[in-house]
Amino acid sequence: MAAFEQTLSELLDLAAKHFEVDRASLDPDQDFFKALEIDSLKALDLLTRLETHFRVELPDYEMQGVTDFRTLAERIHARL
Amino acid sequence: MPDLARHASLQSALRAAFDARPDALALIEAHRDRDHARCPCGGVRSAALACAGWLQERDARRVAIVLTNQSKWHVAAAAALWIGAEIVPLDPKLTPGEHAALLAHAKADVLVTEFFLWRDRAFAGHAAVVEAPPNADLRGATRWEEARGGEPRFVERGRDDVACIVYSSGTGGRPKGCRMTHGNYLSQCAALLRHHSFDPGDTYLSILPTNHAIDFMVGFLGPYVCGATVVHLRTLRPEFVRDAFTRYRIAYCALVPMILTSLADGIRAKLAAVGGAKGVLLKALRGLTRLACRSRPRPAVGRLLLGPVHGGFGGRLKALFVGGAFSDPDTLRFFRDLGIPVANGYGLTEAGTVVTLNTFDAYRPDTVGRPLEGTEVRIHEAGPDGVGEVVVRGPTVMKGYLDDPALTAETIRDGWLHTGDLGRLLPTGHLVLLGRKKNMIVTAGGKNVYPEDIENVFEGLPAKEFCVFAEHYLWKGGADRLVVVVRPDGRDFVDDLRRRNRGLPDFKRVAAFLSWERDFPRTASLKVKRNDLAAEIGEAGSGGLREL
């Protein structure tokens, strides 16, 4: 199993690429709705991308109550 | 159509339905783009009775159900009803603190919930946890699979007994638990089925969780008593929703306006992409369909002329229900002109699911339709323009708020439920809804202006989301004028805002705007929680307010 930091880093890479924002501008503890300028439906789209990348299934509810990259990475990491 | 008048309770209606068609396919649990499980009526009955036995052994009186959109909601609800217990359906999207407060307020003694929620929640009573991974520490709770008991005793209730305690959404302050009776639900179900009956074999696509009143009615009670099938989809991702419509040839689906708008955008984009000779033909066909659908949506015409558009909905659609918030008349017209039947309505927790419904025999997209049979709607203290508070009387009005006689007396006066919503009745009986009473301004010229009414004009603003408020609703001592709160998407929205604003009559213009970076709080049905948003903004202060 990869280290958590690795998961977090890959998540940030993917988010930056998919939503075309500068990777260096993203901070793990940032509100990703704000950082990526996305709404809740677009956040589900990000979840789909993350599933493909990590080859893991992420139910919609994993997004519930989550607003920062770190917590999202924790939820993904727990499923790897 | 089933005869619901002969039943005194929901459990009696459900039992009759289970017995009538044990082999009929009742549930499909759709896992994204494939079936996860299928269950006939008889299977739902067995599962519910096993759970009912467990509940009865624990002397359950009030069973709280906190589940996302899935079939175990049905099983748990049928089980609770079977033993005569009351159901407390809660929105799974609430925070742990909100859940704790409502569970305590309702005095629930059993909780049925999902593992992902249970992880950070606590409950003093018995809890049954759905979908717990093997070896997970459930902290004293019972695994759903093990929440099984002996043969339960069927406990009948009467029409005036409470079936559910439903918390009305968007309440920032004191919890308001509406005591809904068996009679409320049976009357509502019968009135709805008169317009939208399920034929055996019809499929209902459930994407809203069943704590949502409309899903409880058309995604739980209605399908069982008619012998229809409910397809539960646990994701709102558009690709899977679209796929479910065609895969299961859906007859009915209940949506919220936000999802309806996103469907409309998807169709618009597809239509716009058709170019050349095909584009010209399409335009002509749309014109013909529009002509045929002037007075009402005609799916048969739409299917004939605009096959691919209708094919995207599975080709068997009878109606999309939309309610729970203000639907945009242009979106309703857009669907009507394509022959896609969208039945919008108006309802509030306190008055059951639906008070008025836009029926296809007298379709008016600029209204929320006419009162359902048995329900009376009046305008209380109407002004010269006919506008006043909407009041409702009828068999679907709740019994009152739980443990709050003062609030009940304030809300139900002489048998009339005061909704707090403002509206006007047309001579045809259609209700035009104008907004919430407390979120309203009275201009210097004595005109009432409703922020919800203005929002339609700002639809399409280059921003993520926006919401119009009376300034005094946000900040105590705020002026009697309108402000728009905008969550920017990086584009410049101010010029566009000014231009749209200028198009409004002067007394309806927005005076100032506030850029707001946080995601608007929304209910499970994606309706903006105005109260909560207003409270957040109120706390942040009015420093960022800019004059327009």
Side-chain angles (χ1 to χ4, degrees), chain B residues 464-513:
Chain B
K464 274 181 230 161
E465 48 191 351
F466 63 87
C467 200
V468 182
F469 288 100
E471 194 182 347
H472 60 71
Y473 185 50
L474 298 175
W475 301 288
K476 252 197 189 126
D480 218 14
R481 59 179 196 159
L482 297 172
V483 297
V484 58
V485 178
V486 182
R487 198 154 73 84
D489 64 3
R491 288 179 288 170
D492 177 35
F493 63 85
V494 182
D495 285 344
D496 190 292
L497 188 62
R498 287 208 172 101
R499 189 178 49 75
R500 287 166 190 265
N501 206 29
R502 277 198 299 271
L504 284 163
D506 58 356
F507 66 93
K508 281 190 177 179
R509 281 185 202 151
V510 169
F513 73 93

Short mmCIF file of all heavy atoms in Angstrom, two decimals, chain B residues 464-513:
data_model
loop_
_atom_site.label_atom_id
_atom_site.label_comp_id
_atom_site.label_asym_id
_atom_site.label_seq_id
_atom_site.Cartn_x
_atom_site.Cartn_y
_atom_site.Cartn_z
N LYS B 464 -21.00 30.85 -10.16
CA LYS B 464 -21.33 29.49 -9.78
C LYS B 464 -22.75 29.37 -9.26
O LYS B 464 -23.50 28.49 -9.63
CB LYS B 464 -20.36 29.02 -8.71
CG LYS B 464 -19.10 28.44 -9.31
CD LYS B 464 -18.19 27.98 -8.23
CE LYS B 464 -16.82 28.55 -8.47
NZ LYS B 464 -15.98 28.55 -7.30
N GLU B 465 -23.08 30.25 -8.35
CA GLU B 465 -24.44 30.26 -7.84
C GLU B 465 -24.71 31.62 -7.24
O GLU B 465 -23.78 32.39 -6.99
CB GLU B 465 -24.67 29.13 -6.80
CG GLU B 465 -23.60 29.01 -5.74
CD GLU B 465 -23.73 27.74 -4.90
OE1 GLU B 465 -24.72 27.01 -5.02
OE2 GLU B 465 -22.81 27.48 -4.10
N PHE B 466 -25.98 31.92 -7.05
CA PHE B 466 -26.33 33.21 -6.47
C PHE B 466 -27.65 33.07 -5.74
O PHE B 466 -28.38 32.10 -5.96
CB PHE B 466 -26.41 34.29 -7.56
CG PHE B 466 -27.49 34.02 -8.56
CD1 PHE B 466 -28.79 34.45 -8.33
CD2 PHE B 466 -27.22 33.29 -9.71
CE1 PHE B 466 -29.79 34.16 -9.24
CE2 PHE B 466 -28.21 33.00 -10.62
CZ PHE B 466 -29.51 33.43 -10.38
N CYS B 467 -27.93 34.03 -4.90
CA CYS B 467 -29.16 33.98 -4.13
C CYS B 467 -29.52 35.42 -3.78
O CYS B 467 -28.65 36.21 -3.42
CB CYS B 467 -28.89 33.16 -2.87
SG CYS B 467 -30.35 32.51 -2.08
N VAL B 468 -30.79 35.77 -3.92
CA VAL B 468 -31.22 37.13 -3.63
C VAL B 468 -31.90 37.17 -2.26
O VAL B 468 -32.69 36.28 -1.93
CB VAL B 468 -32.17 37.67 -4.73
CG1 VAL B 468 -32.57 39.11 -4.44
CG2 VAL B 468 -31.52 37.58 -6.10
N PHE B 469 -31.55 38.17 -1.49
CA PHE B 469 -32.13 38.32 -0.15
C PHE B 469 -32.62 39.75 0.06
O PHE B 469 -32.15 40.68 -0.58
CB PHE B 469 -31.05 38.08 0.92
CG PHE B 469 -30.63 36.65 1.08
CD1 PHE B 469 -29.45 36.21 0.49
CD2 PHE B 469 -31.37 35.76 1.83
CE1 PHE B 469 -29.04 34.90 0.63
CE2 PHE B 469 -30.96 34.45 1.98
CZ PHE B 469 -29.80 34.02 1.38
N ALA B 470 -33.55 39.88 1.00
CA ALA B 470 -33.84 41.20 1.54
C ALA B 470 -32.68 41.52 2.49
O ALA B 470 -32.26 40.65 3.25
CB ALA B 470 -35.16 41.17 2.30
N GLU B 471 -32.17 42.73 2.41
CA GLU B 471 -31.00 43.05 3.23
C GLU B 471 -31.27 42.82 4.71
O GLU B 471 -30.42 42.32 5.45
CB GLU B 471 -30.55 44.50 2.97
CG GLU B 471 -29.16 44.76 3.53
CD GLU B 471 -28.69 46.20 3.35
OE1 GLU B 471 -29.32 46.96 2.58
OE2 GLU B 471 -27.70 46.57 3.99
N HIS B 472 -32.48 43.13 5.15
CA HIS B 472 -32.80 42.98 6.57
C HIS B 472 -32.90 41.53 7.00
O HIS B 472 -32.91 41.21 8.17
CB HIS B 472 -34.10 43.73 6.91
CG HIS B 472 -35.30 43.25 6.13
ND1 HIS B 472 -35.89 42.03 6.35
CD2 HIS B 472 -35.98 43.82 5.10
CE1 HIS B 472 -36.90 41.88 5.51
NE2 HIS B 472 -36.97 42.95 4.72
N TYR B 473 -32.97 40.62 6.02
CA TYR B 473 -33.03 39.19 6.31
C TYR B 473 -31.62 38.70 6.66
O TYR B 473 -31.45 37.73 7.39
CB TYR B 473 -33.58 38.48 5.08
CG TYR B 473 -33.84 36.99 5.19
CD1 TYR B 473 -34.57 36.46 6.24
CD2 TYR B 473 -33.38 36.12 4.21
CE1 TYR B 473 -34.83 35.09 6.31
CE2 TYR B 473 -33.63 34.77 4.27
CZ TYR B 473 -34.35 34.25 5.33
OH TYR B 473 -34.59 32.90 5.39
N LEU B 474 -30.61 39.39 6.13
CA LEU B 474 -29.23 39.00 6.36
C LEU B 474 -28.66 39.65 7.62
O LEU B 474 -27.98 39.00 8.41
CB LEU B 474 -28.35 39.39 5.17
CG LEU B 474 -28.70 38.73 3.83
CD1 LEU B 474 -27.84 39.30 2.72
CD2 LEU B 474 -28.48 37.22 3.91
N TRP B 475 -28.91 40.93 7.74
CA TRP B 475 -28.33 41.65 8.88
C TRP B 475 -29.42 42.42 9.59
O TRP B 475 -30.18 43.15 8.95
CB TRP B 475 -27.25 42.63 8.39
CG TRP B 475 -26.16 41.95 7.65
CD1 TRP B 475 -25.18 41.16 8.20
CD2 TRP B 475 -25.90 41.98 6.23
NE1 TRP B 475 -24.35 40.68 7.20
CE2 TRP B 475 -24.77 41.18 5.99
CE3 TRP B 475 -26.52 42.61 5.16
CZ2 TRP B 475 -24.23 41.00 4.73
CZ3 TRP B 475 -25.99 42.43 3.89
CH2 TRP B 475 -24.86 41.62 3.68
N LYS B 476 -29.46 42.27 10.88
CA LYS B 476 -30.43 43.03 11.68
C LYS B 476 -30.21 44.51 11.42
O LYS B 476 -29.08 44.98 11.40
CB LYS B 476 -30.20 42.72 13.16
CG LYS B 476 -31.30 41.86 13.71
CD LYS B 476 -31.37 41.86 15.21
CE LYS B 476 -32.36 40.78 15.61
NZ LYS B 476 -31.84 39.83 16.55
N GLY B 477 -31.26 45.24 11.22
CA GLY B 477 -31.13 46.67 10.97
C GLY B 477 -30.80 46.97 9.52
O GLY B 477 -30.62 48.13 9.15
N GLY B 478 -30.71 45.91 8.69
CA GLY B 478 -30.46 46.12 7.27
C GLY B 478 -31.65 46.83 6.62
O GLY B 478 -32.76 46.78 7.13
N ALA B 479 -31.38 47.46 5.50
CA ALA B 479 -32.42 48.25 4.85
C ALA B 479 -33.46 47.35 4.18
O ALA B 479 -33.24 46.16 3.99
CB ALA B 479 -31.79 49.17 3.82
N ASP B 480 -34.58 47.93 3.83
CA ASP B 480 -35.63 47.25 3.11
C ASP B 480 -35.30 47.31 1.62
O ASP B 480 -35.97 47.98 0.84
CB ASP B 480 -36.96 47.97 3.41
CG ASP B 480 -38.11 46.97 3.54
OD1 ASP B 480 -37.84 45.76 3.67
OD2 ASP B 480 -39.26 47.41 3.53
N ARG B 481 -34.25 46.64 1.23
CA ARG B 481 -33.84 46.65 -0.17
C ARG B 481 -33.22 45.29 -0.49
O ARG B 481 -32.93 44.49 0.41
CB ARG B 481 -32.85 47.79 -0.45
CG ARG B 481 -31.60 47.69 0.39
CD ARG B 481 -30.64 48.82 0.08
NE ARG B 481 -29.30 48.50 0.59
CZ ARG B 481 -28.20 49.05 0.16
NH1 ARG B 481 -28.24 49.97 -0.78
NH2 ARG B 481 -27.03 48.72 0.65
N LEU B 482 -33.02 45.04 -1.78
CA LEU B 482 -32.55 43.72 -2.19
C LEU B 482 -31.05 43.68 -2.37
O LEU B 482 -30.46 44.63 -2.90
CB LEU B 482 -33.21 43.31 -3.51
CG LEU B 482 -34.73 43.16 -3.50
CD1 LEU B 482 -35.23 42.96 -4.92
CD2 LEU B 482 -35.14 41.98 -2.62
N VAL B 483 -30.44 42.57 -1.96
CA VAL B 483 -29.03 42.35 -2.25
C VAL B 483 -28.89 40.95 -2.85
O VAL B 483 -29.67 40.05 -2.53
CB VAL B 483 -28.14 42.46 -0.99
CG1 VAL B 483 -28.20 43.85 -0.40
CG2 VAL B 483 -28.53 41.45 0.07
N VAL B 484 -27.93 40.83 -3.75
CA VAL B 484 -27.70 39.51 -4.34
C VAL B 484 -26.35 39.00 -3.84
O VAL B 484 -25.36 39.74 -3.82
CB VAL B 484 -27.79 39.54 -5.90
CG1 VAL B 484 -26.79 40.50 -6.51
CG2 VAL B 484 -27.59 38.14 -6.48
N VAL B 485 -26.34 37.76 -3.39
CA VAL B 485 -25.11 37.13 -2.94
C VAL B 485 -24.63 36.23 -4.08
O VAL B 485 -25.39 35.39 -4.56
CB VAL B 485 -25.36 36.31 -1.66
CG1 VAL B 485 -24.10 35.60 -1.22
CG2 VAL B 485 -25.91 37.20 -0.56
N VAL B 486 -23.42 36.47 -4.53
CA VAL B 486 -22.91 35.75 -5.72
C VAL B 486 -21.66 34.97 -5.34
O VAL B 486 -20.75 35.50 -4.70
CB VAL B 486 -22.54 36.76 -6.84
CG1 VAL B 486 -22.05 36.02 -8.08
CG2 VAL B 486 -23.73 37.64 -7.18
N ARG B 487 -21.64 33.70 -5.74
CA ARG B 487 -20.39 32.93 -5.60
C ARG B 487 -19.71 32.93 -6.96
O ARG B 487 -20.17 32.28 -7.89
CB ARG B 487 -20.67 31.50 -5.14
CG ARG B 487 -19.43 30.82 -4.57
CD ARG B 487 -19.79 29.74 -3.59
NE ARG B 487 -20.31 28.57 -4.27
CZ ARG B 487 -19.54 27.61 -4.80
NH1 ARG B 487 -18.24 27.67 -4.73
NH2 ARG B 487 -20.10 26.58 -5.39
N PRO B 488 -18.65 33.72 -7.09
CA PRO B 488 -18.04 33.94 -8.41
C PRO B 488 -17.33 32.69 -8.93
O PRO B 488 -16.90 31.85 -8.14
CB PRO B 488 -17.03 35.06 -8.17
CG PRO B 488 -16.94 35.27 -6.71
CD PRO B 488 -17.92 34.39 -6.01
N ASP B 489 -17.22 32.60 -10.25
CA ASP B 489 -16.46 31.49 -10.83
C ASP B 489 -15.20 32.00 -11.50
O ASP B 489 -14.60 31.32 -12.33
CB ASP B 489 -17.33 30.69 -11.81
CG ASP B 489 -17.77 31.50 -13.01
OD1 ASP B 489 -17.36 32.68 -13.12
OD2 ASP B 489 -18.54 30.97 -13.83
N GLY B 490 -14.79 33.20 -11.16
CA GLY B 490 -13.56 33.75 -11.72
C GLY B 490 -13.83 34.74 -12.84
O GLY B 490 -13.02 35.60 -13.14
N ARG B 491 -15.01 34.62 -13.47
CA ARG B 491 -15.35 35.55 -14.54
C ARG B 491 -15.93 36.83 -13.92
O ARG B 491 -16.38 36.82 -12.78
CB ARG B 491 -16.39 34.93 -15.47
CG ARG B 491 -15.83 33.83 -16.34
CD ARG B 491 -16.90 33.23 -17.22
NE ARG B 491 -17.83 32.42 -16.45
CZ ARG B 491 -18.97 31.94 -16.95
NH1 ARG B 491 -19.33 32.23 -18.19
NH2 ARG B 491 -19.76 31.19 -16.22
N ASP B 492 -15.91 37.89 -14.70
CA ASP B 492 -16.47 39.14 -14.22
C ASP B 492 -17.99 39.07 -14.37
O ASP B 492 -18.50 38.90 -15.47
CB ASP B 492 -15.91 40.31 -15.02
CG ASP B 492 -16.55 41.62 -14.57
OD1 ASP B 492 -16.84 41.76 -13.37
OD2 ASP B 492 -16.78 42.49 -15.44
N PHE B 493 -18.70 39.18 -13.27
CA PHE B 493 -20.15 39.08 -13.35
C PHE B 493 -20.84 40.43 -13.17
O PHE B 493 -22.04 40.56 -13.37
CB PHE B 493 -20.66 38.08 -12.30
CG PHE B 493 -20.38 38.48 -10.88
CD1 PHE B 493 -21.24 39.33 -10.20
CD2 PHE B 493 -19.24 38.00 -10.23
CE1 PHE B 493 -20.97 39.70 -8.89
CE2 PHE B 493 -18.97 38.38 -8.92
CZ PHE B 493 -19.84 39.23 -8.25
N VAL B 494 -20.05 41.44 -12.76
CA VAL B 494 -20.68 42.70 -12.33
C VAL B 494 -21.40 43.41 -13.48
O VAL B 494 -22.53 43.87 -13.32
CB VAL B 494 -19.65 43.62 -11.64
CG1 VAL B 494 -20.32 44.90 -11.17
CG2 VAL B 494 -19.00 42.90 -10.47
N ASP B 495 -20.74 43.45 -14.65
CA ASP B 495 -21.36 44.14 -15.79
C ASP B 495 -22.66 43.44 -16.19
O ASP B 495 -23.67 44.08 -16.45
CB ASP B 495 -20.41 44.16 -17.00
CG ASP B 495 -19.31 45.19 -16.79
OD1 ASP B 495 -19.49 46.04 -15.89
OD2 ASP B 495 -18.29 45.13 -17.51
N ASP B 496 -22.59 42.11 -16.23
CA ASP B 496 -23.77 41.31 -16.58
C ASP B 496 -24.90 41.54 -15.57
O ASP B 496 -26.06 41.72 -15.94
CB ASP B 496 -23.35 39.83 -16.60
CG ASP B 496 -24.42 38.93 -17.19
OD1 ASP B 496 -25.47 38.80 -16.53
OD2 ASP B 496 -24.23 38.38 -18.29
N LEU B 497 -24.51 41.58 -14.32
CA LEU B 497 -25.48 41.82 -13.25
C LEU B 497 -26.15 43.18 -13.42
O LEU B 497 -27.37 43.31 -13.33
CB LEU B 497 -24.74 41.75 -11.91
CG LEU B 497 -25.56 41.79 -10.62
CD1 LEU B 497 -26.50 40.61 -10.55
CD2 LEU B 497 -24.64 41.79 -9.41
N ARG B 498 -25.32 44.19 -13.70
CA ARG B 498 -25.85 45.56 -13.88
C ARG B 498 -26.84 45.58 -15.05
O ARG B 498 -27.89 46.20 -14.96
CB ARG B 498 -24.72 46.53 -14.17
CG ARG B 498 -23.87 46.83 -12.96
CD ARG B 498 -23.24 48.23 -13.05
NE ARG B 498 -22.60 48.52 -11.78
CZ ARG B 498 -21.28 48.42 -11.58
NH1 ARG B 498 -20.47 48.10 -12.57
NH2 ARG B 498 -20.77 48.67 -10.39
N ARG B 499 -26.46 44.91 -16.14
CA ARG B 499 -27.29 44.91 -17.33
C ARG B 499 -28.65 44.26 -17.04
O ARG B 499 -29.70 44.79 -17.38
CB ARG B 499 -26.57 44.16 -18.46
CG ARG B 499 -27.21 44.26 -19.83
CD ARG B 499 -26.40 43.52 -20.90
NE ARG B 499 -26.02 42.16 -20.51
CZ ARG B 499 -26.87 41.13 -20.49
NH1 ARG B 499 -28.13 41.28 -20.83
NH2 ARG B 499 -26.45 39.93 -20.11
N ARG B 500 -28.61 43.10 -16.40
CA ARG B 500 -29.86 42.41 -16.07
C ARG B 500 -30.69 43.24 -15.10
O ARG B 500 -31.91 43.29 -15.20
CB ARG B 500 -29.56 41.06 -15.42
CG ARG B 500 -29.03 40.02 -16.39
CD ARG B 500 -28.44 38.86 -15.61
NE ARG B 500 -27.71 37.94 -16.45
CZ ARG B 500 -28.23 36.84 -16.99
NH1 ARG B 500 -29.48 36.51 -16.77
NH2 ARG B 500 -27.49 36.04 -17.74
N ASN B 501 -30.02 43.85 -14.17
CA ASN B 501 -30.70 44.64 -13.15
C ASN B 501 -31.45 45.81 -13.80
O ASN B 501 -32.57 46.12 -13.42
CB ASN B 501 -29.65 45.15 -12.16
CG ASN B 501 -30.24 45.42 -10.79
OD1 ASN B 501 -31.21 44.79 -10.39
ND2 ASN B 501 -29.67 46.38 -10.10
N ARG B 502 -30.79 46.41 -14.79
CA ARG B 502 -31.42 47.55 -15.47
C ARG B 502 -32.69 47.13 -16.20
O ARG B 502 -33.58 47.95 -16.42
CB ARG B 502 -30.43 48.20 -16.45
CG ARG B 502 -29.48 49.17 -15.77
CD ARG B 502 -28.83 50.10 -16.81
NE ARG B 502 -28.05 49.36 -17.79
CZ ARG B 502 -26.75 49.06 -17.65
NH1 ARG B 502 -26.10 49.44 -16.56
NH2 ARG B 502 -26.11 48.39 -18.57
N GLY B 503 -32.75 45.86 -16.57
CA GLY B 503 -33.93 45.36 -17.29
C GLY B 503 -35.15 45.18 -16.38
O GLY B 503 -36.25 44.91 -16.86
N LEU B 504 -34.94 45.31 -15.09
CA LEU B 504 -36.05 45.11 -14.15
C LEU B 504 -36.77 46.43 -13.89
O LEU B 504 -36.16 47.50 -13.98
CB LEU B 504 -35.49 44.61 -12.81
CG LEU B 504 -35.05 43.15 -12.72
CD1 LEU B 504 -34.15 42.95 -11.51
CD2 LEU B 504 -36.26 42.24 -12.62
N PRO B 505 -38.06 46.36 -13.53
CA PRO B 505 -38.72 47.60 -13.09
C PRO B 505 -37.96 48.17 -11.89
O PRO B 505 -37.41 47.40 -11.10
CB PRO B 505 -40.12 47.13 -12.67
CG PRO B 505 -40.18 45.68 -12.91
CD PRO B 505 -38.90 45.18 -13.44
N ASP B 506 -37.91 49.48 -11.78
CA ASP B 506 -37.01 50.08 -10.77
C ASP B 506 -37.24 49.57 -9.35
O ASP B 506 -36.29 49.36 -8.62
CB ASP B 506 -37.08 51.62 -10.84
CG ASP B 506 -38.49 52.15 -10.63
OD1 ASP B 506 -39.42 51.31 -10.51
OD2 ASP B 506 -38.67 53.37 -10.58
N PHE B 507 -38.48 49.30 -9.00
CA PHE B 507 -38.71 48.88 -7.61
C PHE B 507 -38.26 47.45 -7.34
O PHE B 507 -38.18 47.02 -6.20
CB PHE B 507 -40.20 49.06 -7.23
CG PHE B 507 -41.14 48.16 -7.98
CD1 PHE B 507 -41.53 46.93 -7.46
CD2 PHE B 507 -41.65 48.55 -9.21
CE1 PHE B 507 -42.38 46.10 -8.15
CE2 PHE B 507 -42.51 47.72 -9.91
CZ PHE B 507 -42.88 46.49 -9.38
N LYS B 508 -37.96 46.73 -8.43
CA LYS B 508 -37.52 45.34 -8.25
C LYS B 508 -35.99 45.21 -8.34
O LYS B 508 -35.46 44.11 -8.24
CB LYS B 508 -38.14 44.44 -9.32
CG LYS B 508 -39.57 44.05 -9.05
CD LYS B 508 -39.99 42.99 -10.02
CE LYS B 508 -41.39 42.50 -9.74
NZ LYS B 508 -41.80 41.48 -10.69
N ARG B 509 -35.32 46.32 -8.57
CA ARG B 509 -33.87 46.22 -8.79
C ARG B 509 -33.11 45.88 -7.52
O ARG B 509 -33.48 46.30 -6.43
CB ARG B 509 -33.33 47.52 -9.39
CG ARG B 509 -33.62 47.57 -10.86
CD ARG B 509 -33.00 48.77 -11.53
NE ARG B 509 -33.74 49.01 -12.77
CZ ARG B 509 -33.91 50.19 -13.34
NH1 ARG B 509 -33.36 51.26 -12.80
NH2 ARG B 509 -34.60 50.29 -14.44
N VAL B 510 -32.03 45.16 -7.73
CA VAL B 510 -31.15 44.81 -6.63
C VAL B 510 -30.23 45.99 -6.37
O VAL B 510 -29.71 46.60 -7.30
CB VAL B 510 -30.35 43.55 -7.01
CG1 VAL B 510 -29.23 43.29 -6.03
CG2 VAL B 510 -31.29 42.35 -7.08
N ALA B 511 -30.05 46.33 -5.10
CA ALA B 511 -29.30 47.54 -4.77
C ALA B 511 -27.81 47.30 -4.60
O ALA B 511 -27.00 48.18 -4.84
CB ALA B 511 -29.86 48.15 -3.48
N ALA B 512 -27.44 46.10 -4.18
CA ALA B 512 -26.04 45.84 -3.88
C ALA B 512 -25.74 44.37 -4.05
O ALA B 512 -26.66 43.55 -4.17
CB ALA B 512 -25.74 46.27 -2.44
N PHE B 513 -24.45 44.05 -4.12
CA PHE B 513 -24.07 42.64 -4.23
C PHE B 513 -22.96 42.31 -3.25
O PHE B 513 -22.24 43.19 -2.78
CB PHE B 513 -23.66 42.29 -5.66
CG PHE B 513 -22.32 42.84 -6.07
CD1 PHE B 513 -21.16 42.08 -5.92
CD2 PHE B 513 -22.21 44.11 -6.61
CE1 PHE B 513 -19.93 42.59 -6.29
CE2 PHE B 513 -20.97 44.63 -6.99
CZ PHE B 513 -19.83 43.86 -6.83
#
